[in-house]
């Protein structure tokens, strides 16, 4: 029986071919990433390493190798520097990338932390490589936001009162520890924190201080916004009252003028005689607007009183909070509940290339429409510059090739519809609503004085608008799924808005490179 099996000889001289080029197929992703990184401009990574080499010490690792290692790790859902170090000793592809010179996990983590801005530039370099390969059909693009969890627990959020009590507790614990050390070891410095409360960057106390500073800023901004809203509401009500006074004064003046002319001539002046003040249509319209303004003002005051009463019953409700683990993260609403995280915005081309991406702390998408249009235009200009020139030439597109941008209902506002830039379709509600409308009765054109939202409703209910908007979900939501499932970016590994933004660009660049690799191997 034993003779029928293949021999298992673990004492042979070579477990792998002596030439590393034979360890993997030529079309393997590892070789592809090595070649692509060699093509790109990675000077942003080398400049910092050059400064480090000026100091004494052993030679550092090649930045191109470390970049390739991170790209390959993210392509296989491996984000941990410790896991990457382990795989560099047991996985053939990782061993090929690092050429069997295994970097320590601290080296990988430090490299990623020290080059946060460079990874944003790396995303642009990947975009250039994809454009040269013919990717990036920007005629119609889609924009959407997705919530990505921070490396922090939602239970670590604290109000200002809780944070200040936490500071007092830390200071008290430090003082108690100092007293105990003085009793044990004699005269010592009295400003040391216990080891559990100290750490790089100031530790927990520094993060609490950052949280308090952010809460104070947000409280001041809220107070200023409330004062501005109160002033605007009072001005609106006063303007409505002034309109009534002007309309009544004009009506009385018309009656007095008519009576004076009649008394002077003894005859009725020509034309229609003026009506009484209470019967004047202008006065009636002004009074109606005043009643509506007073009603809205009363409703606003009642709403504010209700909010104040609720806050009095539960003081912590509605107050600013910050997370002591990641002060930059925010509590974000999702379809499945609330998470501690960030709002990632993606602009995606029709051929599923991530054109632009940003990370924000806003819980909604409305304010991200115009910034994403600007980012998409800048990225489209980059793609247009490096795309192979068409055979027939032609004039540059006024919007760098972008004809239409598709948004979901989260971006809807009159300002976003009227903002300058390419043509856009913004949904007014759920997808099923335009589906029903387009198959319903005839869609009459909007009147000439229709608002931008009414005009958009008409466009979405036309067969052409409906057909164009149908591409949105299949374009951007597919890529969001790739980013979260194939790359595994459902939770950021690093903390802070800047660090998380850098990681988002790294993951987006990896997503685009996987798209290019599939294109070249099919």
């Amino acid at each position: 029986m034993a003779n029928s099996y293949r021999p298992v000889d673990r004492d042979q001289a070579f477990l792998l071919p002596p030439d590393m080029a034979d360890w993997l197929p030529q079309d393997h992703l590892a070789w592809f990433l090595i070649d692509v990184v060699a093509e790109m401009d990675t000077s942003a990574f080398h400049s910092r390493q050059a400064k480090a080499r000026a100091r004494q010490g052993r030679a550092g690792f090649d930045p191109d190798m470390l970049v390739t290692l991170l790209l390959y790790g993210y392509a296989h859902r491996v984000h941990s520097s410790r896991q990457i170090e382990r795989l560099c000793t047991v996985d053939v592809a990782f061993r090929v990338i690092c050429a069997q010179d295994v970097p320590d996990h601290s080296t990988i983590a430090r490299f990623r932390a020290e080059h946060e801005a460079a990874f944003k530039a790396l995303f642009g370099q990947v975009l250039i490589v994809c454009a040269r390969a013919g990717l990036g059909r920007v005629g119609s693009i889609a924009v959407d936001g997705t919530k990505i969890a921070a490396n922090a627990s939602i239970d670590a959020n604290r109000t200002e009162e809780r944070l200040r009590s936490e500071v007092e507790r830390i200071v008290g614990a430090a003082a108690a520890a100092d007293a105990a050390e003085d009793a044990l070891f004699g005269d010592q410095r009295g400003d040391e924190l216990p080891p559990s409360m100290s750490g790089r960057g100031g530790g927990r106390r520094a993060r609490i201080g950052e949280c308090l500073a952010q809460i104070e800023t947000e409280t001041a901004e809220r107070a200023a916004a409330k004062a501005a809203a109160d002033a605007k509401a009072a001005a609106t009500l006063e303007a409505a009252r002034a309109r009534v006074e002007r309309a009544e004064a004009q009506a009385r003046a018309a009656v007095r003028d008519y009576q004076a002319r009649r008394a002077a001539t003894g005859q009725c002046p020509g034309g229609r005689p003026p009506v009484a003040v209470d019967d004047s249509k202008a006065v009636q319209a002004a009074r109606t607007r005043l009643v509506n303004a007073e009603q809205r003002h009363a409703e606003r005051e009642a709403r504010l009183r209700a909010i104040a009463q609720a806050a009095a019953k539960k003081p912590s409700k509605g107050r600013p909070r910050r997370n002591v683990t990641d002060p930059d993260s925010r509590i974000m609403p999702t379809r499945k509940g609330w998470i501690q995280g960030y709002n990632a915005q993606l602009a995606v081309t029709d051929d599923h290339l991530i054109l632009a991406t940003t990370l924000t702390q806003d819980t909604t998408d409305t304010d991200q429409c115009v910034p994403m249009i600007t980012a998409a235009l800048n990225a489209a200009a980059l793609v247009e510059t490096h795309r192979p020139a068409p055979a027939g030439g032609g004039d540059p597109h006024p919007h760098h090739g972008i004809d239409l941008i598709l948004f979901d209902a989260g971006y809807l506002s009159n300002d976003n519809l009227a903002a300058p830039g390419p043509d856009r379709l913004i949904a007014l509600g759920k997808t099923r609503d335009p589906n029903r409308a387009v198959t319903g009765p005839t869609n009459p054109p909007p009147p000439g004085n229709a608002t931008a939202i009414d005009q958009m409703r008409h466009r979405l209910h036309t067969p052409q608008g409906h057909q164009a908007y149908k591409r949105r979900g299949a374009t951007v939501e597919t890529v969001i799924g790739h980013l979260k499932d194939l790359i595994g970016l459902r939770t950021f590994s690093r903390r802070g808005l800047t660090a998380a933004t850098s990681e988002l660009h790294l993951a987006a660049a990896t997503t685009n490179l996987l798209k290019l690799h599939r294109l070249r191997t099919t």
Side-chain angles (χ1 to χ4, degrees):
M1 285 292 293
N3 295 332
S4 63
Y5 295 112
R6 296 169 62 93
V8 181
D9 185 4
R10 296 188 178 90
D11 296 325
Q12 59 183 310
F14 290 100
L15 294 175
L16 294 171
D19 187 355
M20 193 176 292
D22 298 330
W23 289 10
L24 296 170
Q26 291 302 312
D27 60 350
H28 194 273
L29 178 63
W31 293 122
F32 168 76
L33 291 177
I34 291 171
D35 294 339
V36 166
V37 172
E39 293 178 22
M40 295 190 297
D41 179 9
T42 56
S43 57
F45 296 97
H46 287 269
S47 60
R48 188 177 183 92
Q49 297 301 102
K51 295 179 182 178
R53 286 199 303 272
R55 301 189 296 268
Q56 292 183 353
R58 67 176 184 177
F61 288 93
D62 183 3
D64 288 359
M65 182 273 291
L66 294 173
V67 169
T68 308
L69 207 58
L70 286 169
L71 288 171
Y72 189 79
Y74 271 73
H76 290 81
R77 299 170 58 93
V78 180
H79 306 164
S80 167
S81 57
R82 285 179 169 81
Q83 287 298 320
I84 292 176
E85 179 191 0
R86 183 186 67 82
L87 290 171
C88 284
T89 63
V90 300
D91 186 279
V92 172
F94 280 92
R95 291 176 64 184
V96 167
I97 293 174
C98 71
Q100 300 202 97
D101 186 9
V102 180
D104 185 76
H105 67 271
S106 60
T107 300
I108 300 171
R110 187 166 54 248
F111 178 81
R112 185 166 53 176
E114 291 176 347
H115 296 87
E116 291 172 343
F119 280 109
K120 184 175 182 179
L122 176 72
F123 175 78
Q125 289 293 318
V126 170
L127 205 59
I128 290 174
V129 172
C130 293
R132 289 172 178 167
L135 288 175
R137 295 198 305 266
V138 297
S140 173
I141 68 172
V143 175
D144 200 3
T146 184
K147 308 301 192 302
I148 300 179
N151 188 3
S153 170
I154 195 172
D155 295 328
N157 285 283
R158 304 286 188 270
T159 61
E160 182 177 3
E161 293 79 4
R162 181 80 178 274
L163 290 170
R164 295 195 183 280
S165 64
E166 188 79 2
V167 171
E168 293 176 0
R169 185 188 67 79
I170 291 177
V171 173
D178 290 340
E181 289 176 353
D182 288 345
L184 289 172
F185 308 112
D187 188 17
Q188 301 286 339
R189 285 192 307 120
D191 59 351
E192 296 93 350
L193 285 175
S196 62
M197 297 179 185
S198 63
R200 188 177 181 181
R204 183 178 179 85
R205 186 174 177 181
R207 292 198 302 271
I208 292 176
E210 183 180 352
C211 291
L212 285 171
Q214 291 185 9
I215 287 179
E216 290 172 358
T217 301
E218 182 177 345
T219 302
E221 290 175 350
R222 286 188 180 187
K226 183 179 182 302
D230 292 342
K232 183 179 179 180
T236 300
L237 185 60
E238 189 61 30
R241 289 170 178 165
R243 279 195 299 267
V244 171
E245 292 176 358
R246 286 196 303 269
E248 291 177 348
Q250 290 173 359
R252 293 191 188 97
V255 171
R256 287 197 302 267
D257 180 66
Y258 180 83
Q259 292 174 348
R261 285 186 293 154
R262 182 176 179 179
T265 61
Q267 297 179 356
C268 293
R272 180 178 297 178
V275 298
V277 173
D278 292 340
D279 296 331
S280 171
K281 291 184 178 180
V283 172
Q284 292 174 354
R287 288 175 176 174
T288 300
R289 283 192 287 181
L290 175 59
V291 170
N292 293 336
E294 290 176 338
Q295 182 178 357
R296 288 193 298 269
H297 188 78
E299 291 173 352
R300 180 178 183 275
E301 293 294 323
R303 187 167 59 253
L304 292 177
R305 284 195 300 272
I307 294 174
Q309 291 173 358
K313 293 180 180 178
K314 192 174 182 181
S316 62
K317 185 176 181 180
R319 291 192 178 183
R321 298 171 183 267
R322 286 297 180 271
N323 192 283
V324 294
T325 306
D326 184 356
D328 289 344
S329 63
R330 299 290 184 267
I331 300 176
M332 296 281 173
T334 68
R335 293 179 180 178
K336 297 182 179 180
W338 299 86
I339 66 168
Q340 188 74 31
Y342 296 93
N343 184 357
Q345 298 286 314
L346 280 81
V348 180
T349 65
D350 194 50
D351 53 352
H352 296 157
L353 188 73
I354 299 178
L355 191 63
T357 182
T358 60
L359 195 69
T360 75
Q361 299 165 306
D362 293 341
T363 57
T364 60
D365 296 333
T366 308
D367 293 337
Q368 305 308 316
C369 180
V370 175
M372 285 307 296
I373 290 176
T374 303
L377 288 174
N378 294 335
L382 185 66
V383 170
E384 187 178 40
T385 302
H386 294 88
R387 190 195 308 276
D395 297 330
H397 192 283
H399 296 302
H400 307 295
I402 298 179
D403 296 315
L404 182 66
I405 306 181
L406 307 173
F407 298 91
D408 66 9
Y411 298 86
L412 180 65
S413 74
N414 281 308
D415 292 339
N416 289 341
L417 288 169
D423 187 22
R424 70 212 63 164
L425 289 175
I426 304 181
L428 276 67
K430 298 294 185 181
T431 306
R432 63 176 179 270
D433 298 330
N435 288 344
R436 293 170 180 171
V438 79
T439 58
T442 305
N443 181 28
N449 60 350
T451 64
I453 292 179
D454 290 335
Q455 294 175 9
M456 181 56 59
R457 180 178 291 105
H458 170 73
R459 284 191 62 188
L460 290 172
H461 290 172
T462 62
Q464 297 82 5
H466 175 69
Q467 191 65 28
Y469 185 78
K470 281 175 64 177
R471 288 293 304 159
R472 189 204 67 84
T475 302
V476 65
E477 292 183 6
T478 299
V479 175
I480 289 176
H482 291 169
L483 188 70
K484 288 189 169 182
D485 294 331
L486 295 183
I487 306 300
L489 192 65
R490 291 189 172 274
T491 301
F492 288 110
S493 300
R494 305 185 61 229
R495 294 168 180 166
L497 180 61
T498 303
T501 301
S502 173
E503 187 173 2
L504 175 62
H505 280 98
L506 173 59
T510 306
T511 305
N512 284 347
L513 287 174
L514 287 176
K515 171 72 176 177
L516 180 59
H517 179 250
R518 287 192 295 267
L519 178 67
R520 290 188 176 180
T521 55
T522 54

